[in-house]
PDB file of all heavy atoms in Angstrom:
ATOM      1  N   LEU K  15      16.743 -22.674 -15.103  1.00  0.00           N
ATOM      2  CA  LEU K  15      15.833 -23.646 -15.701  1.00  0.00           C
ATOM      3  C   LEU K  15      15.246 -24.557 -14.609  1.00  0.00           C
ATOM      4  O   LEU K  15      14.043 -24.925 -14.631  1.00  0.00           O
ATOM      5  CB  LEU K  15      16.555 -24.480 -16.782  1.00  0.00           C
ATOM      6  CG  LEU K  15      16.910 -23.761 -18.054  1.00  0.00           C
ATOM      7  CD1 LEU K  15      17.817 -24.609 -18.909  1.00  0.00           C
ATOM      8  CD2 LEU K  15      15.666 -23.367 -18.782  1.00  0.00           C
ATOM      9  N   LEU K  16      16.090 -24.977 -13.693  1.00  0.00           N
ATOM     10  CA  LEU K  16      15.612 -25.831 -12.582  1.00  0.00           C
ATOM     11  C   LEU K  16      14.571 -25.098 -11.782  1.00  0.00           C
ATOM     12  O   LEU K  16      13.577 -25.720 -11.377  1.00  0.00           O
ATOM     13  CB  LEU K  16      16.809 -26.240 -11.756  1.00  0.00           C
ATOM     14  CG  LEU K  16      16.540 -27.219 -10.600  1.00  0.00           C
ATOM     15  CD1 LEU K  16      15.925 -28.486 -11.174  1.00  0.00           C
ATOM     16  CD2 LEU K  16      17.820 -27.529  -9.895  1.00  0.00           C
ATOM     17  N   ALA K  17      14.789 -23.826 -11.514  1.00  0.00           N
ATOM     18  CA  ALA K  17      13.786 -23.038 -10.761  1.00  0.00           C
ATOM     19  C   ALA K  17      12.486 -22.929 -11.503  1.00  0.00           C
ATOM     20  O   ALA K  17      11.395 -23.063 -10.916  1.00  0.00           O
ATOM     21  CB  ALA K  17      14.372 -21.668 -10.446  1.00  0.00           C
ATOM     22  N   ILE K  18      12.570 -22.690 -12.859  1.00  0.00           N
ATOM     23  CA  ILE K  18      11.342 -22.557 -13.644  1.00  0.00           C
ATOM     24  C   ILE K  18      10.571 -23.904 -13.633  1.00  0.00           C
ATOM     25  O   ILE K  18       9.367 -23.861 -13.477  1.00  0.00           O
ATOM     26  CB  ILE K  18      11.717 -22.200 -15.113  1.00  0.00           C
ATOM     27  CG1 ILE K  18      12.233 -20.830 -15.221  1.00  0.00           C
ATOM     28  CG2 ILE K  18      10.521 -22.327 -16.006  1.00  0.00           C
ATOM     29  CD1 ILE K  18      12.833 -20.440 -16.559  1.00  0.00           C
ATOM     30  N   GLU K  19      11.295 -24.995 -13.690  1.00  0.00           N
ATOM     31  CA  GLU K  19      10.637 -26.283 -13.706  1.00  0.00           C
ATOM     32  C   GLU K  19       9.894 -26.559 -12.424  1.00  0.00           C
ATOM     33  O   GLU K  19       8.915 -27.297 -12.366  1.00  0.00           O
ATOM     34  CB  GLU K  19      11.660 -27.402 -13.917  1.00  0.00           C
ATOM     35  CG  GLU K  19      12.239 -27.430 -15.378  1.00  0.00           C
ATOM     36  CD  GLU K  19      13.449 -28.310 -15.515  1.00  0.00           C
ATOM     37  OE1 GLU K  19      13.834 -28.993 -14.488  1.00  0.00           O
ATOM     38  OE2 GLU K  19      14.032 -28.408 -16.588  1.00  0.00           O
ATOM     39  N   ARG K  20      10.365 -25.916 -11.332  1.00  0.00           N
ATOM     40  CA  ARG K  20       9.696 -26.097 -10.040  1.00  0.00           C
ATOM     41  C   ARG K  20       8.628 -25.008  -9.770  1.00  0.00           C
ATOM     42  O   ARG K  20       8.093 -24.966  -8.699  1.00  0.00           O
ATOM     43  CB  ARG K  20      10.734 -26.004  -8.910  1.00  0.00           C
ATOM     44  CG  ARG K  20      11.823 -27.086  -8.940  1.00  0.00           C
ATOM     45  CD  ARG K  20      11.221 -28.497  -8.917  1.00  0.00           C
ATOM     46  NE  ARG K  20      12.232 -29.522  -9.065  1.00  0.00           N
ATOM     47  CZ  ARG K  20      12.701 -30.299  -8.086  1.00  0.00           C
ATOM     48  NH1 ARG K  20      12.307 -30.114  -6.855  1.00  0.00           N
ATOM     49  NH2 ARG K  20      13.625 -31.244  -8.361  1.00  0.00           N
ATOM     50  N   GLY K  21       8.357 -24.202 -10.836  1.00  0.00           N
ATOM     51  CA  GLY K  21       7.289 -23.243 -10.743  1.00  0.00           C
ATOM     52  C   GLY K  21       7.655 -21.867 -10.271  1.00  0.00           C
ATOM     53  O   GLY K  21       6.761 -21.002 -10.091  1.00  0.00           O
ATOM     54  N   ALA K  22       8.933 -21.536 -10.097  1.00  0.00           N
ATOM     55  CA  ALA K  22       9.359 -20.252  -9.676  1.00  0.00           C
ATOM     56  C   ALA K  22       9.423 -19.247 -10.802  1.00  0.00           C
ATOM     57  O   ALA K  22       9.943 -19.620 -11.882  1.00  0.00           O
ATOM     58  CB  ALA K  22      10.723 -20.330  -8.964  1.00  0.00           C
ATOM     59  N   PRO K  23       8.931 -18.008 -10.676  1.00  0.00           N
ATOM     60  CA  PRO K  23       9.147 -17.033 -11.679  1.00  0.00           C
ATOM     61  C   PRO K  23      10.612 -16.700 -11.864  1.00  0.00           C
ATOM     62  O   PRO K  23      11.416 -16.830 -10.944  1.00  0.00           O
ATOM     63  CB  PRO K  23       8.358 -15.799 -11.143  1.00  0.00           C
ATOM     64  CG  PRO K  23       7.432 -16.342 -10.119  1.00  0.00           C
ATOM     65  CD  PRO K  23       8.136 -17.541  -9.499  1.00  0.00           C
ATOM     66  N   LEU K  24      10.963 -16.213 -13.063  1.00  0.00           N
ATOM     67  CA  LEU K  24      12.346 -15.871 -13.382  1.00  0.00           C
ATOM     68  C   LEU K  24      12.429 -14.387 -13.770  1.00  0.00           C
ATOM     69  O   LEU K  24      11.702 -13.947 -14.652  1.00  0.00           O
ATOM     70  CB  LEU K  24      12.828 -16.760 -14.526  1.00  0.00           C
ATOM     71  CG  LEU K  24      14.229 -16.389 -15.117  1.00  0.00           C
ATOM     72  CD1 LEU K  24      15.341 -16.536 -14.043  1.00  0.00           C
ATOM     73  CD2 LEU K  24      14.581 -17.253 -16.343  1.00  0.00           C
ATOM     74  N   LEU K  25      13.341 -13.667 -13.137  1.00  0.00           N
ATOM     75  CA  LEU K  25      13.667 -12.272 -13.471  1.00  0.00           C
ATOM     76  C   LEU K  25      15.097 -12.180 -13.945  1.00  0.00           C
ATOM     77  O   LEU K  25      15.972 -12.824 -13.353  1.00  0.00           O
ATOM     78  CB  LEU K  25      13.500 -11.368 -12.224  1.00  0.00           C
ATOM     79  CG  LEU K  25      12.199 -11.532 -11.414  1.00  0.00           C
ATOM     80  CD1 LEU K  25      12.219 -10.555 -10.223  1.00  0.00           C
ATOM     81  CD2 LEU K  25      10.958 -11.348 -12.272  1.00  0.00           C
ATOM     82  N   ILE K  26      15.388 -11.441 -14.985  1.00  0.00           N
ATOM     83  CA  ILE K  26      16.697 -11.262 -15.496  1.00  0.00           C
ATOM     84  C   ILE K  26      17.073  -9.799 -15.615  1.00  0.00           C
ATOM     85  O   ILE K  26      16.376  -8.997 -16.253  1.00  0.00           O
ATOM     86  CB  ILE K  26      16.820 -11.912 -16.929  1.00  0.00           C
ATOM     87  CG1 ILE K  26      16.619 -13.435 -16.813  1.00  0.00           C
ATOM     88  CG2 ILE K  26      18.196 -11.649 -17.510  1.00  0.00           C
ATOM     89  CD1 ILE K  26      16.669 -14.163 -18.153  1.00  0.00           C
ATOM     90  N   LEU K  27      18.157  -9.427 -14.949  1.00  0.00           N
ATOM     91  CA  LEU K  27      18.729  -8.087 -15.000  1.00  0.00           C
ATOM     92  C   LEU K  27      20.109  -8.192 -15.576  1.00  0.00           C
ATOM     93  O   LEU K  27      21.039  -8.689 -14.941  1.00  0.00           O
ATOM     94  CB  LEU K  27      18.767  -7.489 -13.598  1.00  0.00           C
ATOM     95  CG  LEU K  27      19.555  -6.192 -13.332  1.00  0.00           C
ATOM     96  CD1 LEU K  27      19.053  -5.091 -14.275  1.00  0.00           C
ATOM     97  CD2 LEU K  27      19.510  -5.749 -11.933  1.00  0.00           C
ATOM     98  N   ASN K  28      20.236  -7.815 -16.907  1.00  0.00           N
ATOM     99  CA  ASN K  28      21.508  -7.989 -17.577  1.00  0.00           C
ATOM    100  C   ASN K  28      21.562  -7.002 -18.696  1.00  0.00           C
ATOM    101  O   ASN K  28      20.604  -6.684 -19.368  1.00  0.00           O
ATOM    102  CB  ASN K  28      21.647  -9.406 -18.070  1.00  0.00           C
ATOM    103  CG  ASN K  28      23.071  -9.782 -18.463  1.00  0.00           C
ATOM    104  OD1 ASN K  28      23.997  -9.603 -17.666  1.00  0.00           O
ATOM    105  ND2 ASN K  28      23.276 -10.246 -19.698  1.00  0.00           N
ATOM    106  N   LEU K  29      22.776  -6.476 -18.981  1.00  0.00           N
ATOM    107  CA  LEU K  29      22.912  -5.507 -20.035  1.00  0.00           C
ATOM    108  C   LEU K  29      22.728  -6.067 -21.448  1.00  0.00           C
ATOM    109  O   LEU K  29      22.289  -5.387 -22.382  1.00  0.00           O
ATOM    110  CB  LEU K  29      24.278  -4.807 -19.950  1.00  0.00           C
ATOM    111  CG  LEU K  29      24.429  -3.771 -18.841  1.00  0.00           C
ATOM    112  CD1 LEU K  29      25.903  -3.375 -18.689  1.00  0.00           C
ATOM    113  CD2 LEU K  29      23.594  -2.578 -19.117  1.00  0.00           C
ATOM    114  N   GLU K  30      23.101  -7.363 -21.607  1.00  0.00           N
ATOM    115  CA  GLU K  30      22.997  -7.997 -22.910  1.00  0.00           C
ATOM    116  C   GLU K  30      21.946  -9.112 -22.877  1.00  0.00           C
ATOM    117  O   GLU K  30      21.613  -9.639 -21.810  1.00  0.00           O
ATOM    118  CB  GLU K  30      24.356  -8.584 -23.286  1.00  0.00           C
ATOM    119  CG  GLU K  30      25.557  -7.616 -23.211  1.00  0.00           C
ATOM    120  CD  GLU K  30      25.434  -6.526 -24.241  1.00  0.00           C
ATOM    121  OE1 GLU K  30      24.688  -6.730 -25.234  1.00  0.00           O
ATOM    122  OE2 GLU K  30      25.987  -5.446 -24.071  1.00  0.00           O
ATOM    123  N   PRO K  31      21.442  -9.499 -24.046  1.00  0.00           N
ATOM    124  CA  PRO K  31      20.511 -10.598 -24.153  1.00  0.00           C
ATOM    125  C   PRO K  31      21.071 -11.893 -23.620  1.00  0.00           C
ATOM    126  O   PRO K  31      22.284 -12.123 -23.659  1.00  0.00           O
ATOM    127  CB  PRO K  31      20.204 -10.717 -25.636  1.00  0.00           C
ATOM    128  CG  PRO K  31      20.512  -9.392 -26.191  1.00  0.00           C
ATOM    129  CD  PRO K  31      21.700  -8.904 -25.372  1.00  0.00           C
ATOM    130  N   THR K  32      20.192 -12.776 -23.103  1.00  0.00           N
ATOM    131  CA  THR K  32      20.662 -14.104 -22.620  1.00  0.00           C
ATOM    132  C   THR K  32      19.782 -15.161 -23.308  1.00  0.00           C
ATOM    133  O   THR K  32      18.694 -14.830 -23.830  1.00  0.00           O
ATOM    134  CB  THR K  32      20.493 -14.251 -21.113  1.00  0.00           C
ATOM    135  OG1 THR K  32      19.124 -14.538 -20.783  1.00  0.00           O
ATOM    136  CG2 THR K  32      20.941 -12.985 -20.373  1.00  0.00           C
ATOM    137  N   PRO K  33      20.199 -16.401 -23.303  1.00  0.00           N
ATOM    138  CA  PRO K  33      19.390 -17.467 -23.935  1.00  0.00           C
ATOM    139  C   PRO K  33      18.073 -17.737 -23.279  1.00  0.00           C
ATOM    140  O   PRO K  33      17.205 -18.403 -23.833  1.00  0.00           O
ATOM    141  CB  PRO K  33      20.341 -18.694 -23.808  1.00  0.00           C
ATOM    142  CG  PRO K  33      21.719 -18.152 -23.641  1.00  0.00           C
ATOM    143  CD  PRO K  33      21.555 -16.862 -22.855  1.00  0.00           C
ATOM    144  N   LEU K  34      17.896 -17.203 -22.039  1.00  0.00           N
ATOM    145  CA  LEU K  34      16.631 -17.455 -21.288  1.00  0.00           C
ATOM    146  C   LEU K  34      15.708 -16.284 -21.251  1.00  0.00           C
ATOM    147  O   LEU K  34      14.730 -16.319 -20.503  1.00  0.00           O
ATOM    148  CB  LEU K  34      16.991 -17.933 -19.888  1.00  0.00           C
ATOM    149  CG  LEU K  34      17.667 -19.296 -19.759  1.00  0.00           C
ATOM    150  CD1 LEU K  34      17.771 -19.711 -18.266  1.00  0.00           C
ATOM    151  CD2 LEU K  34      16.883 -20.385 -20.541  1.00  0.00           C
ATOM    152  N   ASP K  35      15.967 -15.230 -22.006  1.00  0.00           N
ATOM    153  CA  ASP K  35      15.120 -14.065 -21.966  1.00  0.00           C
ATOM    154  C   ASP K  35      13.664 -14.395 -22.295  1.00  0.00           C
ATOM    155  O   ASP K  35      12.775 -13.850 -21.708  1.00  0.00           O
ATOM    156  CB  ASP K  35      15.604 -12.987 -22.932  1.00  0.00           C
ATOM    157  CG  ASP K  35      16.839 -12.246 -22.453  1.00  0.00           C
ATOM    158  OD1 ASP K  35      17.320 -12.577 -21.316  1.00  0.00           O
ATOM    159  OD2 ASP K  35      17.378 -11.396 -23.144  1.00  0.00           O
ATOM    160  N   ASP K  36      13.481 -15.272 -23.228  1.00  0.00           N
ATOM    161  CA  ASP K  36      12.093 -15.617 -23.644  1.00  0.00           C
ATOM    162  C   ASP K  36      11.403 -16.516 -22.602  1.00  0.00           C
ATOM    163  O   ASP K  36      10.154 -16.693 -22.670  1.00  0.00           O
ATOM    164  CB  ASP K  36      12.072 -16.282 -25.007  1.00  0.00           C
ATOM    165  CG  ASP K  36      12.792 -17.604 -25.058  1.00  0.00           C
ATOM    166  OD1 ASP K  36      13.593 -17.888 -24.105  1.00  0.00           O
ATOM    167  OD2 ASP K  36      12.674 -18.332 -26.037  1.00  0.00           O
ATOM    168  N   ARG K  37      12.121 -17.022 -21.616  1.00  0.00           N
ATOM    169  CA  ARG K  37      11.499 -17.794 -20.550  1.00  0.00           C
ATOM    170  C   ARG K  37      11.262 -16.990 -19.302  1.00  0.00           C
ATOM    171  O   ARG K  37      10.668 -17.485 -18.330  1.00  0.00           O
ATOM    172  CB  ARG K  37      12.442 -18.993 -20.222  1.00  0.00           C
ATOM    173  CG  ARG K  37      12.774 -19.944 -21.347  1.00  0.00           C
ATOM    174  CD  ARG K  37      11.656 -20.805 -21.743  1.00  0.00           C
ATOM    175  NE  ARG K  37      11.164 -21.661 -20.678  1.00  0.00           N
ATOM    176  CZ  ARG K  37      11.709 -22.836 -20.328  1.00  0.00           C
ATOM    177  NH1 ARG K  37      12.744 -23.306 -21.015  1.00  0.00           N
ATOM    178  NH2 ARG K  37      11.219 -23.560 -19.360  1.00  0.00           N
ATOM    179  N   ALA K  38      11.798 -15.793 -19.289  1.00  0.00           N
ATOM    180  CA  ALA K  38      11.698 -14.930 -18.085  1.00  0.00           C
ATOM    181  C   ALA K  38      10.358 -14.233 -17.998  1.00  0.00           C
ATOM    182  O   ALA K  38       9.767 -13.872 -18.983  1.00  0.00           O
ATOM    183  CB  ALA K  38      12.849 -13.911 -18.093  1.00  0.00           C
ATOM    184  N   ASP K  39       9.978 -13.973 -16.745  1.00  0.00           N
ATOM    185  CA  ASP K  39       8.748 -13.213 -16.522  1.00  0.00           C
ATOM    186  C   ASP K  39       9.011 -11.721 -16.669  1.00  0.00           C
ATOM    187  O   ASP K  39       8.071 -10.947 -17.107  1.00  0.00           O
ATOM    188  CB  ASP K  39       8.246 -13.481 -15.092  1.00  0.00           C
ATOM    189  CG  ASP K  39       7.753 -14.923 -14.945  1.00  0.00           C
ATOM    190  OD1 ASP K  39       8.615 -15.799 -14.637  1.00  0.00           O
ATOM    191  OD2 ASP K  39       6.563 -15.147 -15.132  1.00  0.00           O
ATOM    192  N   VAL K  40      10.179 -11.246 -16.329  1.00  0.00           N
ATOM    193  CA  VAL K  40      10.553  -9.846 -16.509  1.00  0.00           C
ATOM    194  C   VAL K  40      12.053  -9.806 -16.940  1.00  0.00           C
ATOM    195  O   VAL K  40      12.898 -10.505 -16.351  1.00  0.00           O
ATOM    196  CB  VAL K  40      10.398  -8.970 -15.241  1.00  0.00           C
ATOM    197  CG1 VAL K  40      10.701  -7.515 -15.569  1.00  0.00           C
ATOM    198  CG2 VAL K  40       8.981  -9.110 -14.663  1.00  0.00           C
ATOM    199  N   VAL K  41      12.366  -9.000 -17.946  1.00  0.00           N
ATOM    200  CA  VAL K  41      13.733  -8.804 -18.347  1.00  0.00           C
ATOM    201  C   VAL K  41      14.036  -7.287 -18.296  1.00  0.00           C
ATOM    202  O   VAL K  41      13.234  -6.494 -18.801  1.00  0.00           O
ATOM    203  CB  VAL K  41      14.016  -9.280 -19.781  1.00  0.00           C
ATOM    204  CG1 VAL K  41      15.458  -8.954 -20.231  1.00  0.00           C
ATOM    205  CG2 VAL K  41      13.781 -10.812 -19.886  1.00  0.00           C
ATOM    206  N   LEU K  42      15.131  -6.924 -17.706  1.00  0.00           N
ATOM    207  CA  LEU K  42      15.556  -5.520 -17.562  1.00  0.00           C
ATOM    208  C   LEU K  42      16.982  -5.364 -18.067  1.00  0.00           C
ATOM    209  O   LEU K  42      17.881  -6.000 -17.569  1.00  0.00           O
ATOM    210  CB  LEU K  42      15.402  -5.069 -16.098  1.00  0.00           C
ATOM    211  CG  LEU K  42      15.915  -3.659 -15.769  1.00  0.00           C
ATOM    212  CD1 LEU K  42      15.193  -2.587 -16.591  1.00  0.00           C
ATOM    213  CD2 LEU K  42      15.749  -3.378 -14.271  1.00  0.00           C
ATOM    214  N   ARG K  43      17.121  -4.494 -19.039  1.00  0.00           N
ATOM    215  CA  ARG K  43      18.473  -4.150 -19.575  1.00  0.00           C
ATOM    216  C   ARG K  43      18.944  -2.913 -18.864  1.00  0.00           C
ATOM    217  O   ARG K  43      18.641  -1.775 -19.215  1.00  0.00           O
ATOM    218  CB  ARG K  43      18.384  -3.846 -21.070  1.00  0.00           C
ATOM    219  CG  ARG K  43      17.903  -5.031 -21.869  1.00  0.00           C
ATOM    220  CD  ARG K  43      19.033  -5.796 -22.455  1.00  0.00           C
ATOM    221  NE  ARG K  43      18.526  -6.905 -23.189  1.00  0.00           N
ATOM    222  CZ  ARG K  43      18.226  -8.141 -22.679  1.00  0.00           C
ATOM    223  NH1 ARG K  43      18.452  -8.359 -21.418  1.00  0.00           N
ATOM    224  NH2 ARG K  43      17.732  -9.077 -23.434  1.00  0.00           N
ATOM    225  N   ALA K  44      19.755  -3.110 -17.834  1.00  0.00           N
ATOM    226  CA  ALA K  44      20.249  -1.932 -17.051  1.00  0.00           C
ATOM    227  C   ALA K  44      21.437  -2.365 -16.251  1.00  0.00           C
ATOM    228  O   ALA K  44      21.580  -3.572 -15.914  1.00  0.00           O
ATOM    229  CB  ALA K  44      19.153  -1.405 -16.146  1.00  0.00           C
ATOM    230  N   PRO K  45      22.333  -1.419 -15.880  1.00  0.00           N
ATOM    231  CA  PRO K  45      23.436  -1.769 -15.001  1.00  0.00           C
ATOM    232  C   PRO K  45      22.919  -2.072 -13.614  1.00  0.00           C
ATOM    233  O   PRO K  45      22.071  -1.328 -13.072  1.00  0.00           O
ATOM    234  CB  PRO K  45      24.315  -0.520 -15.041  1.00  0.00           C
ATOM    235  CG  PRO K  45      23.368   0.582 -15.467  1.00  0.00           C
ATOM    236  CD  PRO K  45      22.393  -0.042 -16.358  1.00  0.00           C
ATOM    237  N   ALA K  46      23.419  -3.124 -13.024  1.00  0.00           N
ATOM    238  CA  ALA K  46      22.873  -3.610 -11.734  1.00  0.00           C
ATOM    239  C   ALA K  46      23.035  -2.562 -10.636  1.00  0.00           C
ATOM    240  O   ALA K  46      22.165  -2.389  -9.773  1.00  0.00           O
ATOM    241  CB  ALA K  46      23.617  -4.911 -11.322  1.00  0.00           C
ATOM    242  N   GLY K  47      24.142  -1.846 -10.630  1.00  0.00           N
ATOM    243  CA  GLY K  47      24.384  -0.853  -9.555  1.00  0.00           C
ATOM    244  C   GLY K  47      23.447   0.286  -9.578  1.00  0.00           C
ATOM    245  O   GLY K  47      23.262   0.986  -8.569  1.00  0.00           O
ATOM    246  N   HIS K  48      22.808   0.558 -10.740  1.00  0.00           N
ATOM    247  CA  HIS K  48      21.802   1.629 -10.829  1.00  0.00           C
ATOM    248  C   HIS K  48      20.395   1.077 -10.576  1.00  0.00           C
ATOM    249  O   HIS K  48      19.567   1.691  -9.950  1.00  0.00           O
ATOM    250  CB  HIS K  48      21.888   2.276 -12.214  1.00  0.00           C
ATOM    251  CG  HIS K  48      23.146   2.988 -12.471  1.00  0.00           C
ATOM    252  ND1 HIS K  48      23.271   4.380 -12.240  1.00  0.00           N
ATOM    253  CD2 HIS K  48      24.334   2.628 -12.908  1.00  0.00           C
ATOM    254  CE1 HIS K  48      24.500   4.787 -12.561  1.00  0.00           C
ATOM    255  NE2 HIS K  48      25.147   3.722 -12.989  1.00  0.00           N
ATOM    256  N   ALA K  49      20.133  -0.126 -11.163  1.00  0.00           N
ATOM    257  CA  ALA K  49      18.749  -0.627 -11.127  1.00  0.00           C
ATOM    258  C   ALA K  49      18.359  -1.221  -9.801  1.00  0.00           C
ATOM    259  O   ALA K  49      17.204  -1.052  -9.321  1.00  0.00           O
ATOM    260  CB  ALA K  49      18.614  -1.716 -12.210  1.00  0.00           C
ATOM    261  N   LEU K  50      19.241  -1.969  -9.136  1.00  0.00           N
ATOM    262  CA  LEU K  50      18.849  -2.663  -7.910  1.00  0.00           C
ATOM    263  C   LEU K  50      18.483  -1.661  -6.774  1.00  0.00           C
ATOM    264  O   LEU K  50      17.491  -1.905  -6.081  1.00  0.00           O
ATOM    265  CB  LEU K  50      19.998  -3.572  -7.455  1.00  0.00           C
ATOM    266  CG  LEU K  50      19.994  -4.928  -8.091  1.00  0.00           C
ATOM    267  CD1 LEU K  50      21.135  -5.794  -7.563  1.00  0.00           C
ATOM    268  CD2 LEU K  50      18.650  -5.699  -7.907  1.00  0.00           C
ATOM    269  N   PRO K  51      19.195  -0.535  -6.552  1.00  0.00           N
ATOM    270  CA  PRO K  51      18.697   0.392  -5.534  1.00  0.00           C
ATOM    271  C   PRO K  51      17.317   0.924  -5.850  1.00  0.00           C
ATOM    272  O   PRO K  51      16.511   1.168  -4.954  1.00  0.00           O
ATOM    273  CB  PRO K  51      19.800   1.469  -5.563  1.00  0.00           C
ATOM    274  CG  PRO K  51      21.006   0.781  -6.022  1.00  0.00           C
ATOM    275  CD  PRO K  51      20.487  -0.155  -7.075  1.00  0.00           C
ATOM    276  N   ARG K  52      17.011   1.151  -7.160  1.00  0.00           N
ATOM    277  CA  ARG K  52      15.681   1.649  -7.508  1.00  0.00           C
ATOM    278  C   ARG K  52      14.620   0.582  -7.255  1.00  0.00           C
ATOM    279  O   ARG K  52      13.532   0.854  -6.823  1.00  0.00           O
ATOM    280  CB  ARG K  52      15.684   2.015  -8.978  1.00  0.00           C
ATOM    281  CG  ARG K  52      16.471   3.252  -9.277  1.00  0.00           C
ATOM    282  CD  ARG K  52      16.130   3.757 -10.651  1.00  0.00           C
ATOM    283  NE  ARG K  52      16.868   4.961 -10.966  1.00  0.00           N
ATOM    284  CZ  ARG K  52      16.580   5.761 -11.976  1.00  0.00           C
ATOM    285  NH1 ARG K  52      15.573   5.484 -12.777  1.00  0.00           N
ATOM    286  NH2 ARG K  52      17.289   6.866 -12.225  1.00  0.00           N
ATOM    287  N   LEU K  53      15.028  -0.688  -7.546  1.00  0.00           N
ATOM    288  CA  LEU K  53      14.131  -1.809  -7.221  1.00  0.00           C
ATOM    289  C   LEU K  53      13.854  -1.896  -5.746  1.00  0.00           C
ATOM    290  O   LEU K  53      12.709  -2.046  -5.271  1.00  0.00           O
ATOM    291  CB  LEU K  53      14.727  -3.076  -7.743  1.00  0.00           C
ATOM    292  CG  LEU K  53      13.946  -4.392  -7.492  1.00  0.00           C
ATOM    293  CD1 LEU K  53      12.549  -4.341  -8.084  1.00  0.00           C
ATOM    294  CD2 LEU K  53      14.731  -5.572  -8.107  1.00  0.00           C
ATOM    295  N   LEU K  54      14.907  -1.745  -4.952  1.00  0.00           N
ATOM    296  CA  LEU K  54      14.743  -1.824  -3.501  1.00  0.00           C
ATOM    297  C   LEU K  54      13.871  -0.688  -2.970  1.00  0.00           C
ATOM    298  O   LEU K  54      13.063  -0.903  -2.064  1.00  0.00           O
ATOM    299  CB  LEU K  54      16.150  -1.745  -2.851  1.00  0.00           C
ATOM    300  CG  LEU K  54      16.304  -2.158  -1.391  1.00  0.00           C
ATOM    301  CD1 LEU K  54      15.934  -3.589  -1.228  1.00  0.00           C
ATOM    302  CD2 LEU K  54      17.735  -1.927  -0.956  1.00  0.00           C
ATOM    303  N   ALA K  55      13.994   0.478  -3.585  1.00  0.00           N
ATOM    304  CA  ALA K  55      13.174   1.593  -3.130  1.00  0.00           C
ATOM    305  C   ALA K  55      11.696   1.430  -3.407  1.00  0.00           C
ATOM    306  O   ALA K  55      10.861   2.085  -2.782  1.00  0.00           O
ATOM    307  CB  ALA K  55      13.676   2.890  -3.826  1.00  0.00           C
ATOM    308  N   ARG K  56      11.335   0.504  -4.317  1.00  0.00           N
ATOM    309  CA  ARG K  56       9.928   0.230  -4.636  1.00  0.00           C
ATOM    310  C   ARG K  56       9.277  -0.689  -3.640  1.00  0.00           C
ATOM    311  O   ARG K  56       8.065  -0.829  -3.603  1.00  0.00           O
ATOM    312  CB  ARG K  56       9.826  -0.414  -6.036  1.00  0.00           C
ATOM    313  CG  ARG K  56      10.233   0.469  -7.209  1.00  0.00           C
ATOM    314  CD  ARG K  56       9.158   1.535  -7.478  1.00  0.00           C
ATOM    315  NE  ARG K  56       9.367   2.158  -8.774  1.00  0.00           N
ATOM    316  CZ  ARG K  56       8.722   1.832  -9.897  1.00  0.00           C
ATOM    317  NH1 ARG K  56       7.781   0.912  -9.830  1.00  0.00           N
ATOM    318  NH2 ARG K  56       8.971   2.487 -10.975  1.00  0.00           N
ATOM    319  N   LEU K  57      10.100  -1.365  -2.788  1.00  0.00           N
ATOM    320  CA  LEU K  57       9.560  -2.275  -1.804  1.00  0.00           C
ATOM    321  C   LEU K  57       9.108  -1.571  -0.525  1.00  0.00           C
ATOM    322  O   LEU K  57       9.640  -0.524  -0.173  1.00  0.00           O
ATOM    323  CB  LEU K  57      10.655  -3.347  -1.436  1.00  0.00           C
ATOM    324  CG  LEU K  57      11.179  -4.196  -2.600  1.00  0.00           C
ATOM    325  CD1 LEU K  57      12.209  -5.129  -2.069  1.00  0.00           C
ATOM    326  CD2 LEU K  57      10.053  -4.877  -3.361  1.00  0.00           C
ATOM    327  N   PRO K  58       8.110  -2.121   0.115  1.00  0.00           N
ATOM    328  CA  PRO K  58       7.626  -1.489   1.367  1.00  0.00           C
ATOM    329  C   PRO K  58       8.748  -1.398   2.369  1.00  0.00           C
ATOM    330  O   PRO K  58       9.577  -2.299   2.488  1.00  0.00           O
ATOM    331  CB  PRO K  58       6.524  -2.447   1.835  1.00  0.00           C
ATOM    332  CG  PRO K  58       6.083  -3.194   0.612  1.00  0.00           C
ATOM    333  CD  PRO K  58       7.331  -3.310  -0.235  1.00  0.00           C
ATOM    334  N   ALA K  59       8.783  -0.322   3.116  1.00  0.00           N
ATOM    335  CA  ALA K  59       9.803  -0.123   4.137  1.00  0.00           C
ATOM    336  C   ALA K  59       9.552  -1.087   5.288  1.00  0.00           C
ATOM    337  O   ALA K  59       8.457  -1.444   5.569  1.00  0.00           O
ATOM    338  CB  ALA K  59       9.836   1.291   4.664  1.00  0.00           C
ATOM    339  N   LEU K  60      10.655  -1.459   5.944  1.00  0.00           N
ATOM    340  CA  LEU K  60      10.497  -2.351   7.160  1.00  0.00           C
ATOM    341  C   LEU K  60       9.854  -1.614   8.302  1.00  0.00           C
ATOM    342  O   LEU K  60      10.091  -0.453   8.463  1.00  0.00           O
ATOM    343  CB  LEU K  60      11.901  -2.874   7.534  1.00  0.00           C
ATOM    344  CG  LEU K  60      12.451  -3.960   6.624  1.00  0.00           C
ATOM    345  CD1 LEU K  60      13.868  -4.336   7.153  1.00  0.00           C
ATOM    346  CD2 LEU K  60      11.572  -5.196   6.574  1.00  0.00           C
TER     347      LEU K  60
END
């Protein structure tokens, strides 16, 4: 909430709903160990 108030976008990666889902810019229901490597693979290589 503090980050949102300062203008930062909010992303939520969690298997279950949270109280801030409706405030988030993106919500992803997935296990972190599977989703984060896929997210990393979408970023430009160094």
Side-chain angles (χ1 to χ4, degrees):
L15 289 172
L16 185 56
I18 292 172
E19 291 169 2
R20 300 301 174 104
L24 172 63
L25 313 179
I26 297 178
L27 170 55
N28 196 53
L29 285 170
E30 306 295 338
T32 80
L34 293 186
D35 284 359
D36 61 346
R37 303 286 300 275
D39 294 85
V40 185
V41 175
L42 174 58
R43 298 266 179 271
H48 293 266
L50 278 180
R52 291 194 178 193
L53 178 56
L54 196 62
R56 294 286 193 100
L57 301 180
L60 287 178

